[in-house]
Amino acid sequence: MWFPVSLNLKKPVNSKFTQQELPACKPILSPGWVITTFAFIGLIFIPVGLASLFASQRVVEIVDRYDVACVPEHLQDDKLAYIQNSTVDKTCTRKLKVPRLMRSPIFIYYELENFYQNHRRYVKSRSDKQLRSREGESDTESCSPEAKTSNGSVIVPCGLIAWSMFNDTYGFSINSKVLDVNKKDIAWNSDKYHKFGSDVYPKNFQSGPFIGGGKLNSSIPLSEQEDLIVWMRTAALPTFRKLYGKIEVDLEPNEEIMVTIHNNYNTYSFGGKKRLVLSTTSWIGGKNDFLGMAYLTFGGLSLLIAATFILIHLIRPRSLGDPSYLSWNKNPAGYSN
Amino acid sequence: MARPGRRRDKLRWSKLYTFSCVRPAVLLDTENPPSLQGPGSPASYPSNYISTTKYNIITFLPKALFEQFRRVANIYFLLAAILSLTPVAPFSAVSMIAPLCFVVGLSMAKEALEDWRRFVQDMKVNSRKVSIHKGGGKFAYKPWQTIRVGDIVKVEKDQFFPADLLLMSSSYDDGICYVETMNLDGETNLKVKRCLEATLPLDDNTAFQDFSAIIRCEDPNPNLYSFVGNFEYDQQVFALDPSQILLRDSKLRNTSYVFGVAIFTGHDSKVMQNATSSPSKRSRIEKKMDQIIYILFTLLVLISLISSIGFAVKTKYGMPEWWYLQPLRTTNLFDPSQPALSGIFHLVTALILYGYLLPISLYVSIELVKVLQAMFINQDIQMYDEETGKPAQARTSNLNEELGQVDTILSDKTGTLTCNQMDFLKCSIAGVSYGIGSSEVEIAAAKQMASEISGAHERVSSSQNPWENNAFRTSEIELESGITCKIDKVRKSAVKGFIFEDNRLMEGNWSKEASADVILLFFRILALCHTAIPEANEETGSFNYESESPDEGAFLVAAREFGFEFCKRTQSSVFVRERHSSSHPIEREFKVLNILEFNSKRKRMSVIVRDESDQILLLCKGADSIIFDKLSKNGRIYEEETCKHLCEYGEAGLRTLALAYRKLEESEYSAWNTEFLKVKTTIGPERDALLENMADLMERDLILVGATAVEDKLQKGVAQCIDKLAQAGLKIWVLTGDKMETAINIGFACSLLRQGMKQICISTTTADQNISLQITNASQMIKLEKDPHAAFALIIDGKTLSYALEEDMRYAFLNLAVDCASVICCRVSPKQKAMVTRLVKEGTGKTTLAIGDGANDVGMIQEADIGVGISGVEGMQAVMASDFSIAQFRFLERLLVVHGHWCYKRIAQMICYFFYKNIAFGLTLFYFEAYTGFSGQSVYDDWYMLLFNVILTSLPVISLGVFEQDVSSEVCLQFPALYQQGPKNLFFDWYRILGWMANGIYSSLAIFFLSINIFYNQAFRAGGQTADMIALTMSHFTWIQHLFVWGSVATWYLFLLGYGITSPLYSRNAYKILIEALAPAPSTGSVNPLDHHVIQEIKYYGKDVEDRHMWTRERSKARQETKIGFSARVDAKIRQLKGKLQKKYSSMGVLQSA
């Protein structure tokens, strides 16, 4: 650009914004401020931590691992054969003792361990389009290898996730009196109403040579198959819990619950564990001591840091804005005159 | 052309000029013409349309895309986007392609906008109007772009030439014209061009009615000073040379109009041929940023490898058991029987997956931030020049932060430091110095001294900016030297070019002085010895002068004010209206017999005139050194006194010339003149030497009359600016095309030099050996110097420099130059300027900034890391080549110390932050892999990831990059030493970068494992549903936004709400903890606070208000130890005074004890 062109330039606007003089706060980490902040955070966090720890402690949780116990003695050596044998009766009974009063609602979870629901091959193997509406039925591209039956007709719901649906069932009774398990509203509403269509019915499901997990009633639309919906929301970690149902009566202490388990699901081939969990909730959710501990730890740390700073400040105070810290004052050779 | 100046157009300058004009037309031997191409058809020449745009509509897309994908990171993202179409990709294709399109699109939009601006500028030039012959002797105004080769063009006074023209005729009878080539070579002297004798009669519009001729000439080339061609007209062939060529972008001066034929148009013109595309510059920080990107790449490859090995192992041993994955019905990607192959596929997946370690939006964010920063620079009202109406302008935005790291400034002199406007200030006549006005240097010094003396005897107040201090404006101060100088509140500048003040000479009082006859002669020399042309000014009734150099103009104005008004010039005479005392003015005629004009080699000019009493006089003015050599024995009466005065003037920063005369006998002159005329008409290479000899014969045995002192006015605020820049620790080199004396004067004027500084002058005595010896000696001398206050100044001229820049000597020279406080290179060519710049840039490895205003500075501006153009004056070439343009040199201080400092910190922190956030984010993906059997599943949702990088986390960082101010602009200016944080690179050294990275790793660990533990297996909502993958996602990273900009949090939640997954209730818990996890901020309670921390603290506590004394003391100390600049000068003076005082005391003590 080689021209003596006078560029048409305007006079700058004289405003606080253009001159970069907007009012600003410049927080300075002065010792007083820092110590106060830390102390304050500590004082807030410790009660919060105590409260959540307390809340977590109030949550009553019964965990029962049944995958080994439910295999008959003589079959313990080859659990895989047991589970794959469809002729064997898989019913098994467990007795659970209520340690403390459990107020309703009591949530029933199943917990799987060492199950990679987050494996990429697994997570990808579903078709949201197909699940959402009937029009997307043939959209099974992503579902491989569980997309179509051997004769080429589409599977609804397709994919490995649905195919491997958990199918153990639990029945509860106290003193031979059956406890009702409410299996409604165990899935997220957004899933029920937006992600799983009410006009989508299972089709050709579990009809292939390999049977994965549970089967579905093909007369009920997907949006009402809440077990499936829960299962389809893949877990982030290889150990996970999923909601099975709710018991809507209080359980008295020391009551003994009879659980009738249909132990159908195969976790034996990969050494996974199965647990049944009964839990109440509190305002922090389920039982989670970690949150309270974390609050306590950081609250404590904050207080400790505050105390340390107070000590440092008392022993070796650095007066703020002390010019002797300026680089040209620190270096004696810097400016001599 | 009914203009008042028409009459003077009758002048035949060529008869008078000695060196430049008279050159008889050479009739070429037609039998043996040089082999030159004849004219082609007009269609085969380019039109005069010029385009400097990078792209056009068709080439934009491919070219701009190519530019974008030259960046390594972008290529990576492109590959990733392509691979995302295959099943290897861990993400959906759109989430890979969309951000890339966004980022690349944004950059390209910026390119397009910039190119559009260039296009508009081109259009402005192309559509300028010029008068073109349209046939039949009629001329009409048409846009420049319509000019074709062979068109006759009429250019009027002060217009630019639209193409390279062959001069046909001018408004002067002898066909000369004056051309200002400042845009081409930066020389302010007017050049004389002269047409061929043959085309002289074509001086009227109608003359071109049936004009036809053939021009054969060389092919277009970039050589400005040569031209080969011939001109066939009327069956005769004439040789053409450069003196007939008017180059595009030079300007017609002092000539009413010229006619010319376009010979090179558009891109063929010499100036366009010279145009080199300015090299694209990248800032140091950006270069380092690339290295960081490479580091991250390495990290990326490393964790990808770890992850794919993990995957292969898991696939081989774990997968066959995972029936729910149907391991027997799988593809290559997850084949347990071929774990190695799957591992390789997974490597690709992992490389894409962990790509979030590389900030895709970094480049585009930086570009955006820089554009906004540039906008703030453009908008700074304190860098807006009211006079010219020009604001500062960041022409390229990619060097903003480099402004904060400058180490050496290389400055042009004329037009940059000085205004190139001369004011007649003092003179010495017959050994008496006249003129009581003070130069700017003296005034500044006096003010400083005044504030010193009154400011108690302590050093404390010495730092008070003398220019802020009004208390002593009008006080009369005795300077140490004994000169009483009165400081006027406002210097009188009623007459442009004349600030002389002395009643002894004014109002005709001079005739009462002792040596009135010498004074008369002095004034006559001023009024006669020049080549200017008077132009009546109808408003004031006096005359303005069109002179070749501003010095000359100042002399004529001075003569006018003294009562010797040069009023008319005819072919042979100069008329001067003389007004002795208060009597009526008498018009006197002086017949001009010869002019021996000025050139830089002769350094003098003489006229030979015959006055009304038939006395022939040779009047001469020139550089003192030259004149003193040529004095006759009895002409040296005033030599000693004049010499002393010249020294004083020089010290006061003035330009000096000595004036002398010689009386000639009629016989002596006529003998010389016949010989001279003979020489004048000789042809051949020896002509110049012969002419010079003849001139030498005449210019001898001179009688010294006196000397003049002209102030080459420094631009406003230059001295203060240099002072501040020196305090900020910057080194300043002056590279000037001017002669050594002038350069030294200016050095004094702007305090780069001072009395008592040891000047090392390195000059040639032809031998190469000598220079290296001089350099070694000088280096030795500096090494042996014991006094810590000793300052050295290196002064070197262009010829010597050409030796010093040779391969074997350049580093010795550079080392010497670096040891010196000031470096002044004089008489340097534009190319040498660029070479010196390169030497400094490459030799010291530090950031250089070149500042200049003329085309001669273009090389240096392009070569330096940062080029700054002064946009105050007419020539825009320097500005066009520059990265930043400012209207005045003094704005450089604010540009560097305030904007540079801010931009440096902003960009440095922003980049660090980008890397930090991406490491923190990217690594969580990696940790998660361990939980998914390294299957390449991402923990975050595709769209979240996409928006995370491009929008969600960019905004806070961008706002940091645009608005962050560590200290306010006032503090920046008051503590210039803060600037050193940039050159020392405190905010972007590896220590700090790695610190940020480590912090990123730490953050990622904290975030990931805290989240995992908090959400592990707990009932998540009131309804008791457990958390899934996306819930985990959601809580991540909210704290970043919380930490920085609340607005972004709102965006974040809006995004989440829009995504419609869950209530954000729980994220609160998470982020509080996470903030806390990171709370032990690095700087709290640290033992070694950085300077700006301390200053922030001082400001914060209002200590500056309470304790003025401390504040000013620190301000004074906050200067880098400097040996140049005004403050240093004052310090030196004070040391000197103290030394004297001490001596006095001690000698008194000795006396007493005795």
Side-chain angles (χ1 to χ4, degrees), chain B residues 399-424:
Chain B
L399 290 172
N400 296 342
E401 71 274 16
E402 195 84 342
L403 286 176
Q405 295 191 282
V406 177
D407 183 73
T408 311
I409 295 173
L410 299 120
S411 173
D412 174 43
K413 186 187 70 69
T414 314
T416 307
L417 299 177
T418 65
C419 311
N420 203 23
Q421 181 210 322
M422 306 295 164
D423 290 321
F424 191 88

mmCIF file of all heavy atoms in Angstrom, chain B residues 399-424:
data_model
loop_
_atom_site.group_PDB
_atom_site.id
_atom_site.type_symbol
_atom_site.label_atom_id
_atom_site.label_comp_id
_atom_site.label_asym_id
_atom_site.label_seq_id
_atom_site.Cartn_x
_atom_site.Cartn_y
_atom_site.Cartn_z
ATOM 1 N N LEU B 399 0.185 -6.983 16.678
ATOM 2 C CA LEU B 399 1.430 -6.684 17.393
ATOM 3 C C LEU B 399 1.173 -5.901 18.676
ATOM 4 O O LEU B 399 2.107 -5.403 19.281
ATOM 5 C CB LEU B 399 2.372 -5.877 16.490
ATOM 6 C CG LEU B 399 2.963 -6.640 15.314
ATOM 7 C CD1 LEU B 399 3.715 -5.713 14.402
ATOM 8 C CD2 LEU B 399 3.881 -7.737 15.801
ATOM 9 N N ASN B 400 -0.073 -5.830 19.076
ATOM 10 C CA ASN B 400 -0.374 -5.012 20.250
ATOM 11 C C ASN B 400 0.510 -5.346 21.436
ATOM 12 O O ASN B 400 1.045 -4.462 22.093
ATOM 13 C CB ASN B 400 -1.827 -5.220 20.674
ATOM 14 C CG ASN B 400 -2.775 -4.735 19.620
ATOM 15 O OD1 ASN B 400 -2.382 -3.968 18.757
ATOM 16 N ND2 ASN B 400 -4.002 -5.180 19.685
ATOM 17 N N GLU B 401 0.626 -6.624 21.718
ATOM 18 C CA GLU B 401 1.329 -6.976 22.948
ATOM 19 C C GLU B 401 2.826 -6.789 22.797
ATOM 20 O O GLU B 401 3.530 -6.635 23.769
ATOM 21 C CB GLU B 401 1.006 -8.405 23.364
ATOM 22 C CG GLU B 401 1.612 -9.487 22.495
ATOM 23 C CD GLU B 401 0.741 -9.800 21.317
ATOM 24 O OE1 GLU B 401 -0.156 -8.989 21.021
ATOM 25 O OE2 GLU B 401 0.955 -10.834 20.677
ATOM 26 N N GLU B 402 3.271 -6.782 21.534
ATOM 27 C CA GLU B 402 4.690 -6.553 21.298
ATOM 28 C C GLU B 402 5.067 -5.142 21.750
ATOM 29 O O GLU B 402 6.200 -4.890 22.133
ATOM 30 C CB GLU B 402 4.990 -6.752 19.812
ATOM 31 C CG GLU B 402 6.457 -6.892 19.470
ATOM 32 C CD GLU B 402 6.979 -8.309 19.652
ATOM 33 O OE1 GLU B 402 6.320 -9.095 20.352
ATOM 34 O OE2 GLU B 402 8.035 -8.624 19.102
ATOM 35 N N LEU B 403 4.107 -4.249 21.715
ATOM 36 C CA LEU B 403 4.360 -2.879 22.166
ATOM 37 C C LEU B 403 4.820 -2.848 23.609
ATOM 38 O O LEU B 403 5.466 -1.904 24.040
ATOM 39 C CB LEU B 403 3.079 -2.046 22.045
ATOM 40 C CG LEU B 403 2.628 -1.611 20.666
ATOM 41 C CD1 LEU B 403 1.310 -0.892 20.765
ATOM 42 C CD2 LEU B 403 3.659 -0.703 20.035
ATOM 43 N N GLY B 404 4.447 -3.844 24.344
ATOM 44 C CA GLY B 404 4.826 -3.866 25.753
ATOM 45 C C GLY B 404 6.177 -4.487 25.996
ATOM 46 O O GLY B 404 6.587 -4.628 27.137
ATOM 47 N N GLN B 405 6.866 -4.875 24.939
ATOM 48 C CA GLN B 405 8.128 -5.577 25.141
ATOM 49 C C GLN B 405 9.294 -4.927 24.414
ATOM 50 O O GLN B 405 10.324 -5.550 24.233
ATOM 51 C CB GLN B 405 7.995 -7.025 24.655
ATOM 52 C CG GLN B 405 7.022 -7.818 25.466
ATOM 53 C CD GLN B 405 7.124 -9.284 25.135
ATOM 54 O OE1 GLN B 405 6.620 -9.747 24.134
ATOM 55 N NE2 GLN B 405 7.816 -10.027 25.981
ATOM 56 N N VAL B 406 9.099 -3.700 23.995
ATOM 57 C CA VAL B 406 10.128 -3.054 23.191
ATOM 58 C C VAL B 406 11.379 -2.806 24.010
ATOM 59 O O VAL B 406 11.308 -2.439 25.179
ATOM 60 C CB VAL B 406 9.604 -1.727 22.624
ATOM 61 C CG1 VAL B 406 10.678 -1.003 21.862
ATOM 62 C CG2 VAL B 406 8.410 -1.976 21.747
ATOM 63 N N ASP B 407 12.512 -3.030 23.388
ATOM 64 C CA ASP B 407 13.774 -2.793 24.072
ATOM 65 C C ASP B 407 14.524 -1.626 23.444
ATOM 66 O O ASP B 407 15.099 -0.812 24.137
ATOM 67 C CB ASP B 407 14.632 -4.064 23.990
ATOM 68 C CG ASP B 407 15.921 -3.902 24.753
ATOM 69 O OD1 ASP B 407 15.852 -3.911 25.985
ATOM 70 O OD2 ASP B 407 16.979 -3.732 24.111
ATOM 71 N N THR B 408 14.533 -1.565 22.136
ATOM 72 C CA THR B 408 15.270 -0.515 21.457
ATOM 73 C C THR B 408 14.349 0.217 20.493
ATOM 74 O O THR B 408 13.591 -0.419 19.761
ATOM 75 C CB THR B 408 16.437 -1.113 20.652
ATOM 76 O OG1 THR B 408 17.151 -1.991 21.498
ATOM 77 C CG2 THR B 408 17.361 -0.025 20.152
ATOM 78 N N ILE B 409 14.444 1.531 20.527
ATOM 79 C CA ILE B 409 13.682 2.325 19.577
ATOM 80 C C ILE B 409 14.659 2.899 18.571
ATOM 81 O O ILE B 409 15.671 3.490 18.949
ATOM 82 C CB ILE B 409 12.941 3.468 20.292
ATOM 83 C CG1 ILE B 409 11.906 2.900 21.241
ATOM 84 C CG2 ILE B 409 12.270 4.392 19.287
ATOM 85 C CD1 ILE B 409 11.260 3.950 22.092
ATOM 86 N N LEU B 410 14.376 2.707 17.300
ATOM 87 C CA LEU B 410 15.202 3.317 16.272
ATOM 88 C C LEU B 410 14.352 4.398 15.630
ATOM 89 O O LEU B 410 13.284 4.128 15.100
ATOM 90 C CB LEU B 410 15.614 2.278 15.241
ATOM 91 C CG LEU B 410 16.442 1.148 15.837
ATOM 92 C CD1 LEU B 410 15.764 -0.166 15.639
ATOM 93 C CD2 LEU B 410 17.825 1.148 15.267
ATOM 94 N N SER B 411 14.869 5.610 15.718
ATOM 95 C CA SER B 411 14.027 6.708 15.284
ATOM 96 C C SER B 411 14.660 7.467 14.138
ATOM 97 O O SER B 411 15.873 7.648 14.086
ATOM 98 C CB SER B 411 13.792 7.653 16.458
ATOM 99 O OG SER B 411 13.122 8.791 16.017
ATOM 100 N N ASP B 412 13.819 7.888 13.259
ATOM 101 C CA ASP B 412 14.224 8.809 12.220
ATOM 102 C C ASP B 412 14.300 10.183 12.873
ATOM 103 O O ASP B 412 13.813 10.375 13.979
ATOM 104 C CB ASP B 412 13.138 8.774 11.137
ATOM 105 C CG ASP B 412 13.374 9.803 10.075
ATOM 106 O OD1 ASP B 412 14.531 9.944 9.659
ATOM 107 O OD2 ASP B 412 12.407 10.463 9.670
ATOM 108 N N LYS B 413 14.928 11.131 12.212
ATOM 109 C CA LYS B 413 15.003 12.442 12.836
ATOM 110 C C LYS B 413 14.002 13.410 12.229
ATOM 111 O O LYS B 413 13.038 13.816 12.882
ATOM 112 C CB LYS B 413 16.414 13.012 12.719
ATOM 113 C CG LYS B 413 16.577 14.311 13.471
ATOM 114 C CD LYS B 413 17.915 14.925 13.208
ATOM 115 C CE LYS B 413 18.043 15.464 11.792
ATOM 116 N NZ LYS B 413 17.210 16.635 11.557
ATOM 117 N N THR B 414 14.248 13.751 10.958
ATOM 118 C CA THR B 414 13.438 14.800 10.357
ATOM 119 C C THR B 414 11.990 14.356 10.241
ATOM 120 O O THR B 414 11.706 13.290 9.716
ATOM 121 C CB THR B 414 13.969 15.140 8.960
ATOM 122 O OG1 THR B 414 15.373 15.256 9.070
ATOM 123 C CG2 THR B 414 13.378 16.419 8.461
ATOM 124 N N GLY B 415 11.110 15.184 10.739
ATOM 125 C CA GLY B 415 9.704 14.854 10.643
ATOM 126 C C GLY B 415 9.242 13.954 11.765
ATOM 127 O O GLY B 415 8.056 13.819 11.991
ATOM 128 N N THR B 416 10.189 13.339 12.443
ATOM 129 C CA THR B 416 9.805 12.462 13.546
ATOM 130 C C THR B 416 10.114 13.143 14.864
ATOM 131 O O THR B 416 9.234 13.411 15.666
ATOM 132 C CB THR B 416 10.555 11.126 13.442
ATOM 133 O OG1 THR B 416 10.346 10.597 12.147
ATOM 134 C CG2 THR B 416 10.074 10.167 14.478
ATOM 135 N N LEU B 417 11.421 13.435 15.026
ATOM 136 C CA LEU B 417 11.794 14.168 16.238
ATOM 137 C C LEU B 417 11.589 15.664 16.016
ATOM 138 O O LEU B 417 11.211 16.387 16.915
ATOM 139 C CB LEU B 417 13.255 13.885 16.599
ATOM 140 C CG LEU B 417 13.589 12.434 16.903
ATOM 141 C CD1 LEU B 417 15.066 12.280 17.176
ATOM 142 C CD2 LEU B 417 12.794 11.949 18.096
ATOM 143 N N THR B 418 11.884 16.085 14.800
ATOM 144 C CA THR B 418 11.757 17.512 14.528
ATOM 145 C C THR B 418 10.597 17.751 13.578
ATOM 146 O O THR B 418 10.133 16.847 12.910
ATOM 147 C CB THR B 418 13.035 18.052 13.868
ATOM 148 O OG1 THR B 418 13.168 17.422 12.601
ATOM 149 C CG2 THR B 418 14.247 17.775 14.708
ATOM 150 N N CYS B 419 10.163 19.016 13.528
ATOM 151 C CA CYS B 419 9.026 19.328 12.660
ATOM 152 C C CYS B 419 9.475 19.597 11.239
ATOM 153 O O CYS B 419 8.662 19.832 10.372
ATOM 154 C CB CYS B 419 8.319 20.586 13.121
ATOM 155 S SG CYS B 419 7.946 20.642 14.837
ATOM 156 N N ASN B 420 10.793 19.674 11.022
ATOM 157 C CA ASN B 420 11.338 20.125 9.752
ATOM 158 C C ASN B 420 10.855 21.542 9.453
ATOM 159 O O ASN B 420 10.627 21.911 8.317
ATOM 160 C CB ASN B 420 10.972 19.186 8.613
ATOM 161 C CG ASN B 420 11.933 19.289 7.470
ATOM 162 O OD1 ASN B 420 13.077 19.715 7.666
ATOM 163 N ND2 ASN B 420 11.493 18.938 6.287
ATOM 164 N N GLN B 421 10.683 22.309 10.504
ATOM 165 C CA GLN B 421 10.330 23.703 10.317
ATOM 166 C C GLN B 421 11.405 24.502 11.031
ATOM 167 O O GLN B 421 11.689 24.292 12.197
ATOM 168 C CB GLN B 421 8.965 24.000 10.930
ATOM 169 C CG GLN B 421 8.558 25.445 10.730
ATOM 170 C CD GLN B 421 7.673 25.929 11.850
ATOM 171 O OE1 GLN B 421 6.838 25.192 12.343
ATOM 172 N NE2 GLN B 421 7.871 27.166 12.271
ATOM 173 N N MET B 422 12.025 25.413 10.284
ATOM 174 C CA MET B 422 13.175 26.112 10.854
ATOM 175 C C MET B 422 12.755 27.483 11.355
ATOM 176 O O MET B 422 11.989 28.187 10.702
ATOM 177 C CB MET B 422 14.251 26.291 9.787
ATOM 178 C CG MET B 422 14.649 25.014 9.117
ATOM 179 S SD MET B 422 15.430 23.891 10.264
ATOM 180 C CE MET B 422 15.339 22.387 9.332
ATOM 181 N N ASP B 423 13.273 27.834 12.505
ATOM 182 C CA ASP B 423 13.023 29.157 13.053
ATOM 183 C C ASP B 423 14.351 29.854 13.261
ATOM 184 O O ASP B 423 15.245 29.319 13.913
ATOM 185 C CB ASP B 423 12.295 29.040 14.398
ATOM 186 C CG ASP B 423 10.874 28.570 14.207
ATOM 187 O OD1 ASP B 423 10.242 29.010 13.240
ATOM 188 O OD2 ASP B 423 10.407 27.749 15.013
ATOM 189 N N PHE B 424 14.422 31.040 12.725
ATOM 190 C CA PHE B 424 15.645 31.818 12.898
ATOM 191 C C PHE B 424 15.683 32.300 14.332
ATOM 192 O O PHE B 424 14.783 33.003 14.786
ATOM 193 C CB PHE B 424 15.625 33.002 11.938
ATOM 194 C CG PHE B 424 16.933 33.705 11.838
ATOM 195 C CD1 PHE B 424 17.891 33.291 10.932
ATOM 196 C CD2 PHE B 424 17.224 34.787 12.660
ATOM 197 C CE1 PHE B 424 19.114 33.942 10.839
ATOM 198 C CE2 PHE B 424 18.442 35.436 12.577
ATOM 199 C CZ PHE B 424 19.382 35.014 11.654
#
